[in-house]
Amino acid sequence: MDYITAKEAAEKWGVTPRRVQILCNEGKIKGAYRFGRSWMIPSRAVLPSSAKGKVPHMPMPRKSPFLDMTDLYNSAGQAEECIEMLVNNPEAHALIEAQIAYRRGEIDHVYDKARYFLSSHSGFYAILGGGMLLALCAIWRGDANLWNEAKKHICEAPCESQHEREIISLTLAIIDSSIYDNKDYPEWFTVGNFETLPADSHPAAKVFYIKYLYMEAFAIASKQIQVEGVSGLALMRMIPNTIEPLITQAVVDKTVIPEIYLRMSCAVAYHNTGQREKAIAHMDKAIALALKDRLYGLLTEYVRHFDGLLEERISLISESAAEAVSELHTIYRLGWSRLSGKIKNVYVATNLTQKEHEVAKLSAFGFSVKEIAAMLYVSESTIKQTIARVIHKAGLQDKSEFSYII
């Protein structure tokens, strides 16, 4: 007779390994026997009917749908230990395992885990986490139907108070911000008031608040919106003043994922305002933290913002990591562009080179041909040719529409 492990049985039956171990201990899986510290299960064994659809429900160890952003994951290089620490809490274990898998760019695995949450009658924060994971998978796959399904699951999370309904609203806004749509953030969140959120959710809230500020600064700089008294890169230059103390707090709190996100966001703001050395300083620290646990998917989210600089800095530490991030970015970029275009009914160019994208961005920020040429150390005629090429490749009327493609 052929035998399989508890982990293999769990994958086959769509439950957690811990659930299989419990069933074995209770003698409910016919023919299973213990071999050393492991269970050996007949390959033809079936999940007991009494166990189907029933997943032991336990409260989340933190009141947050973003367990990997809490202090549970408090040391770079210790992701596996963090996951294993929660093995006796099936939902929390599966959620943080899926979130770490997402940070690594293991999207197929993330999709399977998201389905597990959304079909097992999980608790409030687990469903929010599962919905978020499904939405993130939709981005990588460019799947608008999956995106809408994810939001439907979140809307149907079993909330019991106005407080939890506000968290649902915030979660939906966070999803939309993934495709640069920040119009539906709750008013209390847009002013940085997190009092309505559990303290466990604050580390993640800070990350998304900075993302909200960055999107506002980007929209102002690229003339997508107008704010009285603010123009150009003025707000973008101020953002690091807000992020720097939050980075310090993340270090003190030992929240690894928020620290990486905050450092990368700070680096983007510095990069966009021409402060290269400051951008590199934060970028290098973020890369060093991320590579200890192979968080290539997290780094992938930022590739498009740095015009080749991120891959260059990663390659100084690991060529193989740089190649992995580059390969993931090809998938992410196509999926993100496809989904963003469908949801917002706009065309998002995917055929621009890094240099073309950089020139288009600087032009959208209001820099003249002469200024861009000086910044990139090329001739003005080269910049003019690049601008003309971008207009043609992206099918635009003129460079005034560059804000729609960057």
Side-chain angles (χ1 to χ4, degrees):
M1 181 182 295
D2 294 330
Y3 289 87
I4 57 177
T5 64
K7 182 178 180 180
E8 290 169 332
E11 293 175 352
K12 177 180 177 181
W13 296 334
V15 297
T16 66
R18 180 62 178 167
R19 183 58 173 156
V20 174
Q21 292 167 357
I22 291 173
L23 292 170
C24 288
N25 280 321
E26 294 176 347
K28 293 182 178 179
I29 299 182
K30 187 176 181 180
Y33 71 93
R34 186 181 290 278
F35 182 76
R37 298 177 61 185
S38 304
W39 281 96
M40 302 305 296
I41 301 166
S43 59
R44 295 183 179 179
V46 296
L47 181 67
S49 58
S50 60
K52 293 180 180 178
K54 293 184 179 181
V55 179
H57 173 66
M58 299 174 67
M60 284 288 146
R62 299 289 186 273
K63 289 186 176 181
S64 172
F66 309 99
L67 291 185
D68 65 329
M69 288 195 182
T70 69
D71 61 356
L72 290 173
Y73 179 25
N74 55 30
S75 181
Q78 300 295 314
E80 302 303 334
E81 289 79 358
C82 172
I83 294 170
E84 187 63 25
M85 178 179 67
L86 296 172
V87 69
N88 291 323
N89 187 328
E91 284 192 342
H93 179 265
L95 181 58
I96 199 166
E97 181 184 25
Q99 288 169 340
I100 294 298
Y102 173 76
R103 310 301 177 198
R104 289 173 170 166
E106 299 168 354
I107 304 305
D108 289 341
H109 182 64
V110 175
Y111 176 81
D112 292 339
K113 287 295 183 182
R115 286 297 184 199
Y116 159 77
F117 286 118
L118 301 175
S119 64
S120 62
H121 307 291
S122 302
F124 179 69
Y125 287 105
I127 287 180
L128 293 188
M132 284 288 298
L133 290 170
L134 201 65
L136 292 169
C137 289
I139 293 174
W140 283 73
R141 295 182 175 188
D143 190 332
N145 291 330
L146 190 61
W147 175 266
N148 291 327
E149 181 189 348
K151 298 177 79 169
K152 181 175 182 291
H153 280 296
I154 291 171
C155 288
E156 295 174 348
C159 61
E160 299 177 351
S161 65
Q162 179 60 33
H163 162 72
E164 290 185 343
R165 280 188 283 274
E166 289 178 347
I167 294 177
I168 288 177
S169 296
L170 175 60
T171 304
L172 293 171
I174 288 170
I175 289 177
D176 286 338
S177 72
S178 297
I179 56 171
Y180 276 61
D181 179 357
N182 65 342
K183 66 180 183 297
D184 290 327
Y185 270 106
E187 184 177 354
W188 52 267
F189 186 83
T190 64
V191 296
N193 180 1
F194 304 150
E195 290 183 10
T196 188
L197 297 174
D200 292 332
S201 292
H202 285 195
K206 293 171 185 176
V207 170
F208 294 114
Y209 178 64
I210 291 302
K211 186 169 185 179
Y212 165 78
L213 290 182
Y214 173 79
M215 287 189 293
E216 289 290 292
F218 186 91
I220 291 171
S222 58
K223 303 179 182 65
Q224 296 178 52
I225 62 173
Q226 293 183 346
V227 177
E228 185 177 354
V230 183
S231 61
L233 292 168
L235 182 56
M236 186 76 72
R237 291 192 181 94
M238 294 296 295
I239 286 180
N241 296 342
T242 301
I243 304 179
E244 293 280 11
L246 297 183
I247 292 173
T248 301
Q249 190 62 51
V251 174
V252 171
D253 292 342
K254 295 184 177 181
T255 49
V256 176
I257 296 294
E259 181 184 349
I260 296 173
Y261 272 117
L262 290 170
R263 288 192 183 278
M264 291 301 295
S265 295
C266 199
V268 171
Y270 279 134
H271 177 70
N272 284 342
T273 53
Q275 301 178 76
R276 178 183 170 89
E277 294 307 315
K278 289 183 178 180
I280 288 175
H282 277 298
M283 191 186 305
D284 284 354
K285 289 178 181 178
I287 291 169
L289 291 171
L291 294 191
K292 288 184 178 180
D293 276 314
R294 308 186 311 282
L295 307 182
Y296 304 144
L298 192 163
L299 295 176
T300 295
E301 295 178 30
Y302 287 91
V303 169
R304 68 192 298 268
H305 296 287
F306 289 108
D307 311 304
L309 181 59
L310 180 56
E311 299 103 304
E312 176 186 319
R313 302 307 297 182
I314 296 174
S315 66
L316 294 176
I317 300 176
S318 169
E319 288 286 353
S320 61
E323 291 176 5
V325 170
S326 180
E327 290 175 2
L328 286 173
H329 180 248
T330 298
I331 300 170
Y332 180 82
R333 176 174 57 87
L334 292 174
W336 185 92
S337 299
R338 188 181 304 120
L339 178 67
S340 181
K342 288 178 181 177
I343 298 298
K344 296 192 290 186
N345 195 29
V346 297
Y347 172 70
V348 182
T350 60
N351 58 345
L352 302 182
T353 65
Q354 288 181 344
K355 188 59 64 180
E356 289 167 348
H357 182 272
E358 185 174 15
V359 170
K361 180 175 67 175
L362 292 173
S363 180
F365 283 169
F367 291 104
S368 67
V369 168
K370 183 176 181 179
E371 289 171 326
I372 297 173
M375 294 167 71
L376 302 183
Y377 303 101
V378 296
S379 68
E380 291 182 36
S381 62
T382 297
I383 298 302
K384 290 178 181 178
Q385 291 170 10
T386 303
I387 289 175
R389 193 162 56 248
V390 171
I391 292 172
H392 175 71
K393 291 173 71 171
L396 305 176
Q397 295 296 319
D398 53 51
K399 66 179 183 180
S400 66
E401 297 180 329
F402 279 179
S403 61
Y404 299 117
I405 65 171
I406 58 175

